Every structure is written in C-alpha cells, then in structure tokens.
Amino acid sequence: MANQSGAEAAYAIELKGISKAFGPVQANKDINIAVPKGTIHGIIGENGAGKSTLMSILYGFYKADAGQIFVNGQLTPIPDSQSAIRAGIGMVFQHFKLVQNFTVLENIILGAEEGQMLNTSLTKARKELERLARDYDLEVDPDALIEDLSVGHQQRVEILKALYRQADILILDEPTGVLTPDEADHLFRILKGLKEQGKTVILITHKLREIMEATDNVSVMRRGTMVATVKTAETSPEQLAELMVGRKVLLEVDKGTARPGEVVLKVEDLRVRDEHKVERLKGISFEIRAGEILGIAGVAGNGQSELLAALGGMQAATGTATLKGAPLPLSGAGSDGQSRRRSGIAHVPEDRHHHGLILDFTAWENVAFGYFNDPRYQKNALFMDNDAIRADTERKMAKFDVRPPIPTLAAKSFSGGNQQKIVVAREMEQNPALLLIGQPTRGVDIGAIEFIHKQIIALRDAGAAILLVSVELDEIMSLSDRIAVMFDGRIMGFRDPEKTDERELGLLMAGVTGKGEAA
Amino acid sequence: MDRLPRWADVALVPFVSLTLAALISALVIIAIGQDPWEAIKVMVQGSVMNAYGWGYTLYYATSFMFTGLAVTVAFHAGLFNIGGEGQAQLGGLGVALVCLFLPWPHWTLALLGASLGAALFGAAWAAIPAYLQAKRGSHIVITTIMFNYIAASLMIFMLVDVLRPPGKMDPATANFPPETHLPSFNEIPGLNLVFTSGVPANVTFFIALAMAVVVWLLLWRTRLGYQIRAFGKSEPAARYAGINPTRIIMITMLISGGLAGLMAINNVMGEAERLLGNSASGAGFIGIAVALMGRNHPVGVVLAALLFGFLFQGGAELGLWTKIPIELRTVVQGLVILFTGALDMMVRMLLTRIFALFRTRKLEAA
C-alpha cells in the first residue's frame, strides 16, 4: 500500500490496547507495542504466552476483542489476511504453506495470478524473483519443485512469496525451529539484508540466542501481557529469561558426578535400512551403563532418529543388542513397542506430535498411550479402568507441574512445553531401566526446559541408563556423562564433555576426524 | 478459529442442515408441479403418526443402525468401509444357509445361529479387502466398493444356479421353515397392544440397539477400542506405541463387516423369510450417510438411522398416495446426505461466524 504520510510515521507497526480472549482464557491482555521502521524486532515469550495470537491478529486470522492497529502511522483495521497483505504485511509461518509438487515459481504466484493465462504472471514473477534474489541474497532455483528443496530453501520461498506481494513488514513465526545451525545463520544474514533495504522484520521466537544475535529491539511477553520492550544491546539473556518466566532461571544444569554401574544396553554393529533400501545406520556399537547419560550429538538427519526408532521398536534393524545381558530382538517377534516397554525400555520420541501423543485424545488417554496393557489400568479382563487412568494422570500432572492440570482436556489444547511434560511424565514414571529420549526440549519454553533437565538427571541418579539424542549442542554438553558424535549413520567418536568443546564436536559433526580415528 | 458451543455442534448444525435439505426438496417438488406441504403431510402421516407407519420406519431404521455402526467402527480406525452393501448381502447368504440347511427347534436358537452366520459371512467378505489394505496397501475404499459388485454377481449366481428350488422361476431361495420365524412387533406381548396389524419391524430392532451399546463399550471402554481409535488418529503414533497395524486393520474390518452382515437378520430372516436378489437394497450405502450424520457415535447413529427410516418409509408413502414419483425419495435422501455429510462444514462455518458475531456484540455491550 502506498504511504502518503510516510515521512512522519516512525513506526511500521503500532498496536494499541489489543485484547483477545478464547472463552475463559485471556490470550492477549491490553497489548501495546511499537515497531520502528527498518528494524528487526524480536518478540519473545514462553509457549502459550500469546505471541502467536498477537501475530494472528496482526495478520487478520483472529479479530481482536479490543484495540487498534496502526500501519505506518495510519489506523488500519485488518479483518482478514487479504487486508494484511494489502497493508504490506507478510507472514512466514512455522509450518510452511507450500504446494509440494509445484515449482518455486508456481508457488510464488499462487493466489496472486494476474489475468486468465498463467504465462504472463510466470514471466513477470521470474523477473521479479531474479531482482529479489539479487537484492536480498535469496538464491532459489525458480523451476525446482518444492519437494526437492531443503527445509531452509523452502523457507526462502515463503519469504520470497511475501516479498513478491510487496510486503514491507515481514513476520516470521519461530523460523529456526526446523533449520540447522548453518541454515539459521544464513536466514539471519537474509533478515539483516532486508533490514538494510528498509524492510521491517518481526521475529517471533523463544530462543534467547537468536534474539541476542539478530534483533535491534525485543519485546517480552508473559501470560498474555507485554512485560517489557528493551533495546537488545542493553539487555542480557539472563535478564530476558527472568522477564519471560517471571523468576530467576538457571540456564546452566546443576548435576553431580555420575556413578556408572553395570552395563544396561550393549549394541553391536547396529544397521538400519529405510524403505528405499538406503542404509541410514551403518554399523553402530556402544554401551550405556546404569546411572549414566550417553548423549548423541549430530546434525539432524545423520541417523539419530533411526537409532531411536530401532531401539524403541519402531523400525527393524540388524546387528545385536542386549539389555542387562538378555538379548534384545531387533526385528520380527519381540521387537515391537509393546515388547520394548515390557522389557523396561521407555521412549520419549523426538516428535511428540507425530509419535508421542495423539493430539485429539485427552491427556488421560495419552497417559495410557503405549501402556494400555498395564494391569493397573484394567478393571477386568474386558474393560479398561478409565477412572484409574484419570487418577494416575492427575498424580503425574501434579508431580510434573503440567498446566492446566485437567486430565480430560485434549492434548492439542496444551502448550508445547506442557505436552512434552505429559510425554516425559508418562515415560519417566515407568521407572525404566533404559530411557530413550529424543529432543527432550524441542519447542519447549525455558521454565519447562529447566524442569525436564532436572528430571533427566534425577532419573540418572536413580540408576537408569539414558540415551539422549539432541540437536542442541548446549543440551548435550550440559547433560551428558559421555558424548558420541554421529555423522552419516556412523559414530565418529566418543568424547568426555569435561574435556571437549563445541569446536571439536562441531568438526566431528561435520565428519572431520582430527586424530585419525577410524570413521 | 472460534469454536461452536457443544449444543450447537451436536444439535443445531444437523438441524440447520436438515432444514436446508427440506427447503431444496420443497423447491424440487414445486418444480415438478406438486404441493410440497401436501408431500410433507403425507410423509409424516405415513411414517410416524400411527403404529403401522412406525412399524415400517423402525424396520428400516433397524437395518440402517447395523450398517451405520459398521461404518462407524471402521471410521474410528481411519478406514472408510463403503462395502457395507456387499457385506450385508453376504450376511443374507449366511442367514439363508443357516435357516435352510440346519434344523432349528425354536426361533431363539435360530436367531442365535443366524446371527452367527450373518456376522461370519459379512466379516469374511470384509476380510479380503482388509487383508489387501493391511498387507498390500490397496486402498480400502477401492477394494470394498469393488467387492460390492463382486457380491452382487456372486448372489445372482447363488440364487439362480445354486439355491433356487427346482421348478421355481424367480431367483430366490425357498421360504425358510416356520421355526425360524422371528416375532414381529405385532406378535410380541405388550408391544402388540400398540402394533395391532402386521408390521415388518421385529425383535432384531432390539439387537440393533444392543449392538449400539456394544459398539460404544468396545470403542470407549476396551483396550481394543482404545487401540482402534489411536490407530485411526495416527498410524505413526500407533507404531510408536507398539500397536500392530495389520492386526488392528484386520480386526476392525472383521467387526465392521460382521455388523453390516448382521443387518440380514432384520430383512432376510425377520421380514422376507427367504433370500431375494439385491437383498440389502441400498441400506449399505445409507449406512455411510447415517454414520456421517451421526458423527460416528453410536447414539448419533441410532438417531440418524431413525431419521433415514422416516425418510424411507415417508418416501414410499409419497409414491403410494400422491402423484409425486417414489424416485423423489432418492432425491430427498441425496439432499440430506449432501447437506449433512458433504456440506456439513459449510453450515458449521456459517454458524461459527454468526456465533462469533453475537459474542463480540455481547462484549461490546458489556
């Protein structure tokens, strides 16, 4: 939209007194925020703090119960996303909205076609795309199919889509959740480029590091209110964390030394092939002792998921494995999830939405998920004892501080952190001999991260063997008693977290072995 | 998106959908030069205003309950079983074989035997598509609909070449022996005070109601039902939990096919008392609409089955007493299915908007 009185308006976006309630839940309470033009503005807050609701109001998905939106100094009602686009606002969602079997170019013009014939639009878009790629360092092959692109490139297409619609204000919702550290760095370079060209960027995240790295100003939200807006240069991660959570937060994990006991899990020459017969695990051997955390470091997609799947009974594998000396079948009979649970293996899967939970199920149904055969949950031979499950759920919710502590609420109604607490509570409370835990704090807010880390340490001290997989190097470094680095389906080496650093691990993660170790 | 209050979701949405379907039906009747008011009067009069009408409405509803429950059970496992028609026909074959070739001393025992036969044959007909889905990944929608055609051909073969008594011309079995006769409502003490003339509704109605309770218990109170629902919501999650997909697909489809097959005790054993061609006469397909409209919940299925029973009986009355052709029944059913099934989301969105509007008004006023 052309801006007539542009010279005087210092703010690209100004929200005044925005409130929004969903039933009894006040998602946004009298929010005021002003985003200066040509800056990168971070919005940070725990899951469920109301960041996404606020941005959905700005993008016309929700109608605010009260409040006003000013774009470039002018009062602009935004009843739907078309109005948002006309006002020059573009949004890049956490989950991309791209047609997988369309080319980049086709996706870009989708919904912005001009005339009856596609050719005119396509030719125009191709030229525009070349210009954008030049100006903003946003190289993407316009004729590539989306399904062939990496996640990082798909995100660029989303940004290009917004820019093609002449967005001056770009909102990115948790953009780095799906990116590798390298891709994330590149994204931040792109955002800085956009800023230099006079665009305004709003970055929603719960990662303190990104805020510190990329933004000029940062607004902190807590429980639906805006608690502070500060200049990034004048704050610290500790201060932001405290503002977000409302109390002092320990960013470092406090743990005593491990006292490893007998060997619990011993794996030799573990191999996994995917459905295309490609070998994803290429002969892995390791052991974990009781009271020990083995951390698996590595860039996502180097076989960690397959390792968890094979041990958790979700995927057939070859090789040998023993649990406390007893053979653990890796394929065929006795290798399913139920057998694993019976033998004392609990599994917090990497992806709680696709594996760990049934989102449409209630919390109590999810607490029985995987443990529906548990004798404590049966009334008699025929029926389950739903009351017993609900009571057990209440107990677990209290112990793990799940909010709200309502067993009959659907899992999808909980925030990410609380969903994860439900999964973690379910698995840890089985007192497993071996806990497999993947990305324990992905998409989880700081308060919950601290809590989950404490629980993992407590389980270790109680004598469980723990296999921890995480793409967050900080998490691996602070929790593990030993670290194994995976690259391309192999373990590149084992390290003592006390005697290594991020640089050395980073090299191993990239497949570089310094000391001539066998790969 | 704002959400609808529960009462609106459960009651108002179907009500608005039905009203819309009724309005369009009225337009169609006007278009063919008839009086829609007259049509409604005839339909209501002939189906629910007297015991005789109820005797038919409940008879049809009984069949639809079975097929609706069959679709419901499969739906909760994420399987769309549209082979109820074929499974019900095979169920009829099972009933016929049990009634014709086994000696029965009393109808209660015959009912037990015939129920087993019906469920077994219906389940067997669902087993092959289930196996193909579980092991080969052949889509259950395609295979079950193909099996409807195979069932139709198989039944013609059975009736014409195998089961037809010598000397008879019509493709049907011999009449079942009198010991297998199921009491109709007019023969049940107590009920016969209301149903004074002969009606097709019979004891099977109570079996259908019992089955609705059984299905509810199965889905929401047993481990198997828990696994079925979990599998239906998310197959990857089910795999994580150690739920065996092959086992769940097979068991669910056997139960679903068995329920569809059970329908045959109502129409083949309870009403016709012999097996005729095209015995299911579309009830298998109506079961899909019943399940859709009943929101895949046994209580909803029972209510939706009653509604479709009313439409079926009322539609037949139209053909009898007015110049409106009986085919209009199909039009009305089609519209009901269209609005309650396919256009459900449209009504829902519309109502959601209206509710949201009221809500903001209230807030502004406060």
Side-chain angles (χ1 to χ4, degrees):
Chain A
M1 185 189 259
N3 182 18
Q4 297 87 349
S5 56
E8 64 205 77
Y11 296 121
I13 295 278
E14 211 180 344
L15 302 178
K16 288 187 181 165
I18 297 282
S19 291
K20 174 76 186 171
F22 295 100
V25 182
Q26 190 77 34
N28 283 164
K29 231 177 312 183
D30 192 25
I31 301 278
N32 295 299
I33 181 174
V35 180
K37 264 189 191 168
T39 61
I40 301 182
H41 194 107
I43 295 184
I44 194 164
E46 296 193 281
N47 287 311
K51 303 172 305 231
S52 295
T53 306
L54 188 64
M55 289 306 119
S56 298
I57 288 170
L58 185 51
Y59 199 61
F61 276 172
Y62 296 132
K63 192 175 172 297
D65 298 335
Q68 292 172 315
I69 302 171
F70 294 85
V71 180
N72 294 320
Q74 289 183 339
L75 182 61
T76 315
I78 302 181
D80 51 41
S81 50
Q82 285 298 322
S83 322
I85 292 168
R86 274 199 301 279
I89 301 170
M91 181 128 175
V92 175
F93 293 93
Q94 193 173 2
H95 303 285
F96 307 145
K97 307 199 182 299
L98 297 170
V99 182
Q100 289 291 314
N101 54 355
F102 272 20
T103 65
V104 170
L105 213 50
E106 286 168 331
N107 265 290
I108 291 204
I109 63 161
L110 187 64
E113 310 91 342
E114 290 157 33
Q116 289 303 309
M117 304 301 286
L118 274 184
N119 260 344
T120 13
S121 313
L122 285 172
T123 321
K124 189 186 149 208
R126 190 179 294 275
K127 269 205 201 110
E128 181 66 12
L129 212 58
E130 274 169 17
R131 189 185 68 77
L132 292 171
R134 221 178 25 247
D135 289 359
Y136 301 115
D137 193 15
L138 276 163
E139 303 289 343
V140 193
D141 174 8
D143 297 311
L145 292 177
I146 296 298
E147 59 196 9
D148 297 335
L149 294 181
S150 70
V151 180
H153 278 83
Q154 291 189 19
Q155 192 172 51
R156 282 184 213 173
V157 177
E158 284 282 12
I159 297 175
L160 283 167
K161 246 170 82 179
L163 294 177
Y164 182 73
R165 284 158 180 71
Q166 269 136 37
D168 276 325
I169 301 151
L170 205 59
I171 308 169
L172 294 104
D173 188 6
E174 301 278 357
T176 59
V178 289
L179 301 184
T180 64
D182 250 10
E183 286 174 323
D185 287 344
H186 191 114
L187 172 69
F188 293 141
R189 280 203 298 281
I190 292 170
L191 296 185
K192 288 200 172 113
L194 287 169
K195 180 179 106 175
E196 277 155 24
Q197 300 280 336
K199 308 266 182 197
T200 308
V201 177
I202 298 178
L203 180 68
I204 304 169
T205 181
H206 61 267
K207 291 187 186 164
L208 293 167
R209 197 172 61 83
E210 292 171 2
I211 290 288
M212 299 309 293
E213 217 166 273
T215 64
D216 299 308
N217 299 299
V218 52
S219 299
V220 185
M221 288 188 78
R222 183 170 77 228
R223 292 191 188 166
T225 59
M226 192 63 83
V227 287
T229 298
V230 289
K231 282 199 163 50
T232 312
E234 293 167 7
T235 186
S236 64
E238 285 77 15
Q239 192 198 356
L240 287 178
E242 198 179 326
L243 284 169
M244 273 166 71
V245 184
R247 60 177 166 84
K248 281 232 182 289
V249 180
L250 227 55
L251 291 177
E252 291 290 309
V253 181
D254 184 22
K255 78 170 186 189
T257 43
R259 287 184 302 278
E262 50 154 8
V263 174
V264 172
L265 177 73
K266 189 173 170 65
V267 172
E268 265 170 80
D269 196 30
L270 186 70
R271 290 169 191 274
V272 167
R273 285 177 189 279
D274 66 13
E275 67 258 45
H276 306 297
K277 306 277 176 226
V278 178
E279 204 169 44
R280 308 299 299 226
L281 273 190
K282 301 173 177 172
I284 288 210
S285 305
F286 63 87
E287 54 180 50
I288 313 177
R289 290 169 180 278
E292 181 190 45
I293 300 175
L294 175 66
I296 306 278
V299 178
N302 277 289
Q304 302 97 311
S305 306
E306 286 78 5
L307 176 62
L308 285 176
L311 293 174
M314 296 162 70
Q315 193 163 22
T318 60
T320 55
T322 54
L323 187 74
K324 288 183 164 174
L328 195 68
L330 291 168
S331 66
S335 72
D336 62 305
Q338 284 297 305
S339 310
R340 289 287 193 268
R341 284 171 179 84
R342 272 196 301 276
S343 60
I345 300 177
H347 182 187
V348 177
E350 288 184 295
D351 187 335
R352 63 175 166 270
H353 286 173
H354 283 105
H355 295 124
L357 294 166
I358 303 265
L359 290 174
D360 287 336
F361 272 17
T362 59
W364 69 265
E365 283 174 309
N366 272 298
V367 162
F369 194 50
Y371 300 96
F372 42 81
N373 284 323
D374 191 320
R376 289 175 303 142
Y377 292 163
Q378 317 302 325
K379 192 174 279 175
N380 48 44
L382 217 50
F383 295 119
M384 289 176 89
D385 191 347
N386 293 350
D387 292 331
I389 305 175
R390 274 189 284 266
D392 190 38
T393 304
E394 252 166 44
R395 196 182 59 74
K396 286 182 172 135
M397 284 179 139
K399 182 164 176 193
F400 280 75
D401 190 29
V402 177
R403 282 183 228 172
I406 306 172
T408 49
L409 205 61
K412 64 183 170 201
S413 310
F414 290 88
S415 69
N418 284 303
Q419 288 175 347
Q420 185 71 350
K421 279 187 188 172
I422 294 175
V423 179
V424 169
R426 177 183 75 207
E427 300 301 325
M428 284 192 176
E429 287 293 285
Q430 306 294 329
N431 288 322
L434 170 67
L435 176 72
L436 312 169
I437 183 162
Q439 321 298 349
T441 56
R442 176 183 278 171
V444 169
D445 45 72
I446 293 184
I449 289 177
E450 188 190 13
F451 183 85
I452 290 172
H453 282 174
K454 269 188 192 157
Q455 295 298 320
I456 294 176
I457 301 286
L459 192 68
R460 177 200 75 169
D461 291 342
I466 296 172
L467 179 69
L468 165 74
V469 170
S470 175
V471 291
E472 305 280 351
L473 208 46
D474 296 347
E475 188 166 53
I476 293 283
M477 298 269 290
S478 56
L479 285 179
S480 309
D481 299 313
R482 273 191 308 143
I483 298 173
V485 185
M486 278 186 75
F487 172 75
D488 192 28
R490 292 190 178 89
I491 289 181
M492 303 305 288
F494 293 90
R495 293 287 182 274
D496 182 341
E498 305 289 329
K499 293 176 190 149
T500 186
D501 53 32
E502 299 211 1
R503 210 191 57 85
E504 187 190 16
L505 293 177
L507 282 174
L508 286 171
M509 283 161 70
V512 183
T513 46
K515 299 166 195 164
E517 266 175 291
Chain B
M1 207 69 188
D2 296 295
R3 282 209 231 129
L4 280 176
R6 197 168 157 69
W7 67 269
D9 187 53
V10 176
L12 192 61
V13 171
F15 177 75
V16 172
S17 301
L18 282 176
T19 313
L20 286 172
L23 280 176
I24 310 257
S25 305
L27 289 179
V28 174
I29 294 172
I30 291 172
I32 59 172
Q34 300 292 331
D35 179 6
W37 181 240
E38 180 67 23
I40 287 184
K41 269 204 292 195
V42 168
M43 282 183 80
V44 172
Q45 200 78 46
S47 56
V48 293
M49 292 308 282
N50 53 59
Y52 183 76
W54 272 108
Y56 277 86
T57 300
L58 291 179
Y59 163 70
Y60 291 125
T62 304
S63 290
F64 302 154
M65 281 178 208
F66 283 117
T67 52
L69 289 172
V71 175
T72 295
V73 170
F75 174 87
H76 281 282
L79 301 165
F80 196 19
N81 174 18
I82 53 178
E85 188 75 8
Q87 289 144 20
Q89 286 190 33
L90 263 288
L93 182 62
V95 168
L97 295 179
V98 167
C99 289
L100 286 172
F101 298 107
L102 295 174
W104 296 104
H106 190 262
W107 67 266
T108 46
L109 293 173
L111 176 61
L112 201 69
S115 299
L116 278 175
L120 224 63
F121 272 64
W125 203 245
I128 304 168
Y131 180 82
L132 291 172
Q133 170 79 63
K135 286 291 182 192
R136 312 292 314 167
S138 319
H139 203 284
I140 200 102
V141 168
I142 311 285
T143 45
T144 47
I145 203 160
M146 278 162 49
F147 265 66
N148 284 337
Y149 290 102
I150 303 174
S153 306
L154 176 71
M155 294 307 285
I156 290 171
F157 166 74
M158 289 302 289
L159 290 175
V160 173
D161 294 320
V162 184
L163 294 172
R164 182 167 54 96
K168 286 282 169 72
M169 294 299 287
D170 54 339
T173 65
N175 287 336
F176 298 161
E179 291 81 17
T180 67
H181 171 77
L182 296 180
S184 307
F185 277 9
N186 52 303
E187 295 160 346
I188 300 172
L191 272 179
N192 60 6
L193 299 176
V194 184
F195 295 92
T196 45
S197 52
V199 291
N202 57 73
V203 286
T204 319
F205 174 72
F206 302 105
I207 298 182
L209 289 181
M211 278 302 149
V213 177
V214 168
V215 165
W216 182 79
L217 283 172
L218 166 78
L219 286 174
W220 282 283
R221 286 292 179 274
T222 68
R223 268 176 287 170
L224 176 63
Y226 179 89
Q227 294 177 65
I228 288 175
R229 289 186 299 120
F231 175 78
K233 292 283 184 202
S234 167
E235 188 171 342
R239 204 177 293 272
Y240 154 78
I243 295 169
N244 183 343
T246 308
R247 185 171 160 266
I248 294 297
I249 293 175
M250 287 306 296
I251 293 180
T252 308
M253 281 304 287
L254 289 178
I255 295 174
S256 175
L259 282 167
L262 271 179
M263 182 200 124
I265 45 173
N266 184 45
N267 63 339
V268 176
M269 189 179 184
E271 200 259 342
E273 306 198 338
R274 59 179 183 147
L275 183 60
L276 297 149
N278 188 26
S279 65
S281 51
F285 294 114
I286 290 173
I288 300 168
V290 166
L292 267 176
M293 200 181 163
R295 311 291 302 277
N296 288 296
H297 191 283
V299 174
V301 165
V302 168
L303 294 176
L306 286 172
L307 172 79
F308 274 84
F310 155 72
L311 284 177
F312 225 69
Q313 168 57 12
E317 292 286 309
L318 276 186
L320 272 178
W321 304 111
T322 68
K323 290 204 194 99
I324 299 168
I326 191 165
E327 282 74 24
L328 195 87
R329 175 167 87 176
T330 321
V331 175
V332 175
Q333 275 165 20
L335 285 165
V336 169
I337 294 171
L338 184 70
F339 276 97
T340 57
L343 298 182
D344 183 78
M345 278 314 281
M346 182 188 81
V347 173
R348 199 170 296 274
M349 267 162 60
L350 218 69
L351 287 176
T352 311
R353 288 235 173 123
I354 295 171
F355 269 89
L357 211 68
F358 273 117
R359 230 172 265 157
T360 27
R361 284 255 177 86
K362 224 187 275 170
L363 270 171
E364 275 160 18

